[in-house]
PDB file of all heavy atoms in Angstrom:
ATOM      1  N   ALA O   1     114.548 100.520 108.070  1.00 92.00           N
ATOM      2  CA  ALA O   1     114.405 101.512 107.005  1.00 92.00           C
ATOM      3  C   ALA O   1     113.103 102.330 107.259  1.00 92.00           C
ATOM      4  O   ALA O   1     113.109 103.575 107.016  1.00 92.00           O
ATOM      5  CB  ALA O   1     114.335 100.828 105.646  1.00 92.00           C
ATOM      6  N   THR O   2     112.052 101.669 107.663  1.00 92.00           N
ATOM      7  CA  THR O   2     110.770 102.403 107.991  1.00 92.00           C
ATOM      8  C   THR O   2     111.000 103.400 109.096  1.00 92.00           C
ATOM      9  O   THR O   2     110.475 104.566 108.992  1.00 92.00           O
ATOM     10  CB  THR O   2     109.685 101.417 108.359  1.00 92.00           C
ATOM     11  OG1 THR O   2     109.506 100.479 107.283  1.00 92.00           O
ATOM     12  CG2 THR O   2     108.405 102.093 108.693  1.00 92.00           C
ATOM     13  N   ALA O   3     111.777 102.994 110.117  1.00 92.00           N
ATOM     14  CA  ALA O   3     112.027 103.899 111.201  1.00 92.00           C
ATOM     15  C   ALA O   3     112.776 105.143 110.685  1.00 92.00           C
ATOM     16  O   ALA O   3     112.488 106.298 111.127  1.00 92.00           O
ATOM     17  CB  ALA O   3     112.865 103.184 112.300  1.00 92.00           C
ATOM     18  N   SER O   4     113.722 104.929 109.781  1.00 91.00           N
ATOM     19  CA  SER O   4     114.490 106.067 109.243  1.00 91.00           C
ATOM     20  C   SER O   4     113.585 107.053 108.478  1.00 91.00           C
ATOM     21  O   SER O   4     113.685 108.268 108.632  1.00 91.00           O
ATOM     22  CB  SER O   4     115.609 105.576 108.296  1.00 91.00           C
ATOM     23  OG  SER O   4     116.535 104.815 109.059  1.00 91.00           O
ATOM     24  N   LEU O   5     112.679 106.498 107.667  1.00 91.00           N
ATOM     25  CA  LEU O   5     111.769 107.368 106.889  1.00 91.00           C
ATOM     26  C   LEU O   5     110.856 108.176 107.832  1.00 91.00           C
ATOM     27  O   LEU O   5     110.628 109.365 107.623  1.00 91.00           O
ATOM     28  CB  LEU O   5     110.919 106.519 105.974  1.00 91.00           C
ATOM     29  CG  LEU O   5     111.567 105.918 104.736  1.00 91.00           C
ATOM     30  CD1 LEU O   5     110.632 104.951 103.979  1.00 91.00           C
ATOM     31  CD2 LEU O   5     111.986 107.039 103.804  1.00 91.00           C
ATOM     32  N   LEU O   6     110.383 107.537 108.868  1.00 91.00           N
ATOM     33  CA  LEU O   6     109.467 108.222 109.801  1.00 91.00           C
ATOM     34  C   LEU O   6     110.239 109.289 110.637  1.00 91.00           C
ATOM     35  O   LEU O   6     109.678 110.352 110.946  1.00 91.00           O
ATOM     36  CB  LEU O   6     108.786 107.223 110.731  1.00 91.00           C
ATOM     37  CG  LEU O   6     107.876 106.226 110.002  1.00 91.00           C
ATOM     38  CD1 LEU O   6     107.202 105.262 111.046  1.00 91.00           C
ATOM     39  CD2 LEU O   6     106.800 106.877 109.211  1.00 91.00           C
ATOM     40  N   GLU O   7     111.499 108.983 110.921  1.00 90.00           N
ATOM     41  CA  GLU O   7     112.269 109.958 111.695  1.00 90.00           C
ATOM     42  C   GLU O   7     112.550 111.262 110.850  1.00 90.00           C
ATOM     43  O   GLU O   7     112.673 112.342 111.424  1.00 90.00           O
ATOM     44  CB  GLU O   7     113.636 109.340 112.143  1.00 90.00           C
ATOM     45  CG  GLU O   7     113.413 108.292 113.247  1.00 90.00           C
ATOM     46  CD  GLU O   7     114.610 107.395 113.473  1.00 90.00           C
ATOM     47  OE1 GLU O   7     115.591 107.583 112.695  1.00 90.00           O
ATOM     48  OE2 GLU O   7     114.566 106.475 114.329  1.00 90.00           O
ATOM     49  N   GLU O   8     112.628 111.056 109.542  1.00 89.00           N
ATOM     50  CA  GLU O   8     112.917 112.220 108.676  1.00 89.00           C
ATOM     51  C   GLU O   8     111.714 113.155 108.636  1.00 89.00           C
ATOM     52  O   GLU O   8     111.848 114.314 108.302  1.00 89.00           O
ATOM     53  CB  GLU O   8     113.252 111.711 107.280  1.00 89.00           C
ATOM     54  CG  GLU O   8     114.559 110.993 107.158  1.00 89.00           C
ATOM     55  CD  GLU O   8     114.808 110.359 105.766  1.00 89.00           C
ATOM     56  OE1 GLU O   8     113.889 110.557 104.914  1.00 89.00           O
ATOM     57  OE2 GLU O   8     115.833 109.686 105.583  1.00 89.00           O
ATOM     58  N   LEU O   9     110.528 112.610 108.957  1.00 88.00           N
ATOM     59  CA  LEU O   9     109.329 113.494 108.894  1.00 88.00           C
ATOM     60  C   LEU O   9     109.376 114.595 109.890  1.00 88.00           C
ATOM     61  O   LEU O   9     108.719 115.636 109.743  1.00 88.00           O
ATOM     62  CB  LEU O   9     108.057 112.639 109.140  1.00 88.00           C
ATOM     63  CG  LEU O   9     107.740 111.578 108.054  1.00 88.00           C
ATOM     64  CD1 LEU O   9     106.555 110.761 108.474  1.00 88.00           C
ATOM     65  CD2 LEU O   9     107.491 112.223 106.703  1.00 88.00           C
ATOM     66  N   ASP O  10     110.156 114.491 110.933  1.00 80.00           N
ATOM     67  CA  ASP O  10     110.254 115.531 111.970  1.00 80.00           C
ATOM     68  C   ASP O  10     110.830 116.792 111.380  1.00 80.00           C
ATOM     69  O   ASP O  10     110.686 117.875 111.961  1.00 80.00           O
ATOM     70  CB  ASP O  10     111.136 115.026 113.153  1.00 80.00           C
ATOM     71  CG  ASP O  10     110.434 113.946 113.962  1.00 80.00           C
ATOM     72  OD1 ASP O  10     109.191 113.945 113.910  1.00 80.00           O
ATOM     73  OD2 ASP O  10     111.101 113.165 114.639  1.00 80.00           O
ATOM     74  N   GLU O  11     111.580 116.662 110.247  1.00 81.00           N
ATOM     75  CA  GLU O  11     112.205 117.831 109.656  1.00 81.00           C
ATOM     76  C   GLU O  11     111.224 118.646 108.817  1.00 81.00           C
ATOM     77  O   GLU O  11     111.546 119.775 108.390  1.00 81.00           O
ATOM     78  CB  GLU O  11     113.396 117.444 108.802  1.00 81.00           C
ATOM     79  CG  GLU O  11     114.446 116.681 109.626  1.00 81.00           C
ATOM     80  CD  GLU O  11     115.569 116.120 108.731  1.00 81.00           C
ATOM     81  OE1 GLU O  11     115.547 116.445 107.539  1.00 81.00           O
ATOM     82  OE2 GLU O  11     116.458 115.427 109.283  1.00 81.00           O
ATOM     83  N   GLN O  12     110.058 118.110 108.503  1.00 82.00           N
ATOM     84  CA  GLN O  12     109.072 118.796 107.702  1.00 82.00           C
ATOM     85  C   GLN O  12     108.401 119.889 108.531  1.00 82.00           C
ATOM     86  O   GLN O  12     108.265 119.778 109.757  1.00 82.00           O
ATOM     87  CB  GLN O  12     108.009 117.868 107.189  1.00 82.00           C
ATOM     88  CG  GLN O  12     108.488 116.820 106.214  1.00 82.00           C
ATOM     89  CD  GLN O  12     107.359 115.951 105.649  1.00 82.00           C
ATOM     90  OE1 GLN O  12     106.219 116.122 105.974  1.00 82.00           O
ATOM     91  NE2 GLN O  12     107.733 114.974 104.811  1.00 82.00           N
ATOM     92  N   PRO O  13     107.963 120.978 107.897  1.00 83.00           N
ATOM     93  CA  PRO O  13     107.300 122.092 108.682  1.00 83.00           C
ATOM     94  C   PRO O  13     105.985 121.637 109.302  1.00 83.00           C
ATOM     95  O   PRO O  13     105.609 122.122 110.354  1.00 83.00           O
ATOM     96  CB  PRO O  13     107.104 123.181 107.608  1.00 83.00           C
ATOM     97  CG  PRO O  13     107.279 122.498 106.243  1.00 83.00           C
ATOM     98  CD  PRO O  13     108.188 121.356 106.470  1.00 83.00           C
ATOM     99  N   ALA O  14     105.270 120.748 108.639  1.00 85.00           N
ATOM    100  CA  ALA O  14     103.979 120.268 109.204  1.00 85.00           C
ATOM    101  C   ALA O  14     103.902 118.775 109.005  1.00 85.00           C
ATOM    102  O   ALA O  14     103.283 118.242 108.084  1.00 85.00           O
ATOM    103  CB  ALA O  14     102.761 120.938 108.503  1.00 85.00           C
ATOM    104  N   PRO O  15     104.675 118.055 109.880  1.00 89.00           N
ATOM    105  CA  PRO O  15     104.731 116.554 109.725  1.00 89.00           C
ATOM    106  C   PRO O  15     103.366 115.947 110.013  1.00 89.00           C
ATOM    107  O   PRO O  15     102.532 116.489 110.762  1.00 89.00           O
ATOM    108  CB  PRO O  15     105.744 116.146 110.781  1.00 89.00           C
ATOM    109  CG  PRO O  15     105.718 117.247 111.822  1.00 89.00           C
ATOM    110  CD  PRO O  15     105.427 118.492 111.038  1.00 89.00           C
ATOM    111  N   PRO O  16     103.051 114.816 109.409  1.00 92.00           N
ATOM    112  CA  PRO O  16     101.760 114.148 109.641  1.00 92.00           C
ATOM    113  C   PRO O  16     101.716 113.488 111.016  1.00 92.00           C
ATOM    114  O   PRO O  16     102.789 113.167 111.577  1.00 92.00           O
ATOM    115  CB  PRO O  16     101.709 113.093 108.484  1.00 92.00           C
ATOM    116  CG  PRO O  16     103.105 112.756 108.232  1.00 92.00           C
ATOM    117  CD  PRO O  16     103.903 114.055 108.416  1.00 92.00           C
ATOM    118  N   ARG O  17     100.530 113.315 111.488  1.00 92.00           N
ATOM    119  CA  ARG O  17     100.365 112.455 112.716  1.00 92.00           C
ATOM    120  C   ARG O  17     100.734 111.036 112.318  1.00 92.00           C
ATOM    121  O   ARG O  17     100.363 110.578 111.228  1.00 92.00           O
ATOM    122  CB  ARG O  17      98.946 112.483 113.221  1.00 92.00           C
ATOM    123  CG  ARG O  17      98.416 113.882 113.559  1.00 92.00           C
ATOM    124  CD  ARG O  17      96.957 113.861 113.885  1.00 92.00           C
ATOM    125  NE  ARG O  17      96.388 115.165 114.195  1.00 92.00           N
ATOM    126  CZ  ARG O  17      96.264 115.637 115.412  1.00 92.00           C
ATOM    127  NH1 ARG O  17      96.666 114.872 116.462  1.00 92.00           N
ATOM    128  NH2 ARG O  17      95.756 116.837 115.623  1.00 92.00           N
ATOM    129  N   ILE O  18     101.382 110.326 113.217  1.00 94.00           N
ATOM    130  CA  ILE O  18     101.763 108.930 112.953  1.00 94.00           C
ATOM    131  C   ILE O  18     101.135 108.025 113.952  1.00 94.00           C
ATOM    132  O   ILE O  18     101.251 108.207 115.202  1.00 94.00           O
ATOM    133  CB  ILE O  18     103.281 108.790 112.981  1.00 94.00           C
ATOM    134  CG1 ILE O  18     103.947 109.665 111.922  1.00 94.00           C
ATOM    135  CG2 ILE O  18     103.684 107.321 112.807  1.00 94.00           C
ATOM    136  CD1 ILE O  18     105.479 109.627 111.976  1.00 94.00           C
ATOM    137  N   ILE O  19     100.459 106.976 113.430  1.00 95.00           N
ATOM    138  CA  ILE O  19      99.909 105.894 114.309  1.00 95.00           C
ATOM    139  C   ILE O  19     100.301 104.582 113.708  1.00 95.00           C
ATOM    140  O   ILE O  19     100.135 104.355 112.455  1.00 95.00           O
ATOM    141  CB  ILE O  19      98.367 105.980 114.421  1.00 95.00           C
ATOM    142  CG1 ILE O  19      97.946 107.309 115.065  1.00 95.00           C
ATOM    143  CG2 ILE O  19      97.835 104.831 115.292  1.00 95.00           C
ATOM    144  CD1 ILE O  19      96.418 107.465 115.187  1.00 95.00           C
ATOM    145  N   ALA O  20     100.855 103.702 114.511  1.00 95.00           N
ATOM    146  CA  ALA O  20     101.240 102.360 114.076  1.00 95.00           C
ATOM    147  C   ALA O  20     100.517 101.319 114.887  1.00 95.00           C
ATOM    148  O   ALA O  20     100.158 101.586 116.062  1.00 95.00           O
ATOM    149  CB  ALA O  20     102.724 102.176 114.150  1.00 95.00           C
ATOM    150  N   THR O  21     100.252 100.184 114.347  1.00 95.00           N
ATOM    151  CA  THR O  21      99.601  99.079 115.105  1.00 95.00           C
ATOM    152  C   THR O  21     100.544  97.892 115.125  1.00 95.00           C
ATOM    153  O   THR O  21     101.234  97.597 114.168  1.00 95.00           O
ATOM    154  CB  THR O  21      98.266  98.688 114.444  1.00 95.00           C
ATOM    155  OG1 THR O  21      98.479  98.003 113.196  1.00 95.00           O
ATOM    156  CG2 THR O  21      97.340  99.829 114.286  1.00 95.00           C
ATOM    157  N   LEU O  22     100.511  97.194 116.257  1.00 94.00           N
ATOM    158  CA  LEU O  22     101.459  96.108 116.515  1.00 94.00           C
ATOM    159  C   LEU O  22     100.706  94.950 117.234  1.00 94.00           C
ATOM    160  O   LEU O  22     100.089  95.176 118.243  1.00 94.00           O
ATOM    161  CB  LEU O  22     102.614  96.568 117.340  1.00 94.00           C
ATOM    162  CG  LEU O  22     103.569  95.531 117.917  1.00 94.00           C
ATOM    163  CD1 LEU O  22     104.438  94.914 116.812  1.00 94.00           C
ATOM    164  CD2 LEU O  22     104.410  96.079 119.042  1.00 94.00           C
ATOM    165  N   THR O  23     100.849  93.752 116.684  1.00 94.00           N
ATOM    166  CA  THR O  23     100.444  92.543 117.400  1.00 94.00           C
ATOM    167  C   THR O  23     101.671  91.889 118.013  1.00 94.00           C
ATOM    168  O   THR O  23     102.557  91.469 117.294  1.00 94.00           O
ATOM    169  CB  THR O  23      99.752  91.549 116.439  1.00 94.00           C
ATOM    170  OG1 THR O  23      98.647  92.145 115.850  1.00 94.00           O
ATOM    171  CG2 THR O  23      99.345  90.281 117.203  1.00 94.00           C
ATOM    172  N   PRO O  24     101.793  91.929 119.323  1.00 91.00           N
ATOM    173  CA  PRO O  24     103.021  91.420 119.969  1.00 91.00           C
ATOM    174  C   PRO O  24     103.356  90.001 119.526  1.00 91.00           C
ATOM    175  O   PRO O  24     102.512  89.166 119.436  1.00 91.00           O
ATOM    176  CB  PRO O  24     102.711  91.516 121.480  1.00 91.00           C
ATOM    177  CG  PRO O  24     101.639  92.520 121.563  1.00 91.00           C
ATOM    178  CD  PRO O  24     100.815  92.414 120.354  1.00 91.00           C
ATOM    179  N   THR O  25     104.631  89.733 119.428  1.00 86.00           N
ATOM    180  CA  THR O  25     105.164  88.376 119.093  1.00 86.00           C
ATOM    181  C   THR O  25     106.278  88.052 120.016  1.00 86.00           C
ATOM    182  O   THR O  25     106.818  88.928 120.698  1.00 86.00           O
ATOM    183  CB  THR O  25     105.658  88.279 117.628  1.00 86.00           C
ATOM    184  OG1 THR O  25     106.709  89.257 117.452  1.00 86.00           O
ATOM    185  CG2 THR O  25     104.526  88.623 116.658  1.00 86.00           C
ATOM    186  N   ASP O  26     106.608  86.771 120.054  1.00 81.00           N
ATOM    187  CA  ASP O  26     107.738  86.338 120.925  1.00 81.00           C
ATOM    188  C   ASP O  26     109.084  86.823 120.434  1.00 81.00           C
ATOM    189  O   ASP O  26     110.010  87.141 121.197  1.00 81.00           O
ATOM    190  CB  ASP O  26     107.772  84.806 121.030  1.00 81.00           C
ATOM    191  CG  ASP O  26     106.539  84.270 121.758  1.00 81.00           C
ATOM    192  OD1 ASP O  26     105.982  85.013 122.562  1.00 81.00           O
ATOM    193  OD2 ASP O  26     106.150  83.132 121.483  1.00 81.00           O
ATOM    194  N   ALA O  27     109.228  86.892 119.093  1.00 78.00           N
ATOM    195  CA  ALA O  27     110.542  87.260 118.511  1.00 78.00           C
ATOM    196  C   ALA O  27     110.521  88.737 118.115  1.00 78.00           C
ATOM    197  O   ALA O  27     109.606  89.181 117.369  1.00 78.00           O
ATOM    198  CB  ALA O  27     110.839  86.409 117.296  1.00 78.00           C
ATOM    199  N   THR O  28     111.464  89.529 118.587  1.00 82.00           N
ATOM    200  CA  THR O  28     111.585  90.937 118.228  1.00 82.00           C
ATOM    201  C   THR O  28     112.965  91.168 117.668  1.00 82.00           C
ATOM    202  O   THR O  28     113.963  90.982 118.339  1.00 82.00           O
ATOM    203  CB  THR O  28     111.386  91.847 119.474  1.00 82.00           C
ATOM    204  OG1 THR O  28     110.073  91.570 120.012  1.00 82.00           O
ATOM    205  CG2 THR O  28     111.484  93.295 119.070  1.00 82.00           C
TER     206      THR O  28
END
């Protein structure tokens, strides 16, 4: 659901910069 919300931002005239942080885990 988060991915869907962020993908919708591309349709805005001035979308925000997006930065995400991830700590790798064994299970994805």
Side-chain angles (χ1 to χ4, degrees):
T2 301
S4 296
L5 285 173
L6 298 181
E7 288 165 359
E8 292 172 2
L9 294 177
D10 290 336
E11 301 175 5
Q12 294 184 1
R17 300 171 183 266
I18 299 175
I19 301 180
T21 68
L22 169 73
T23 300
T25 60
D26 294 335
T28 302

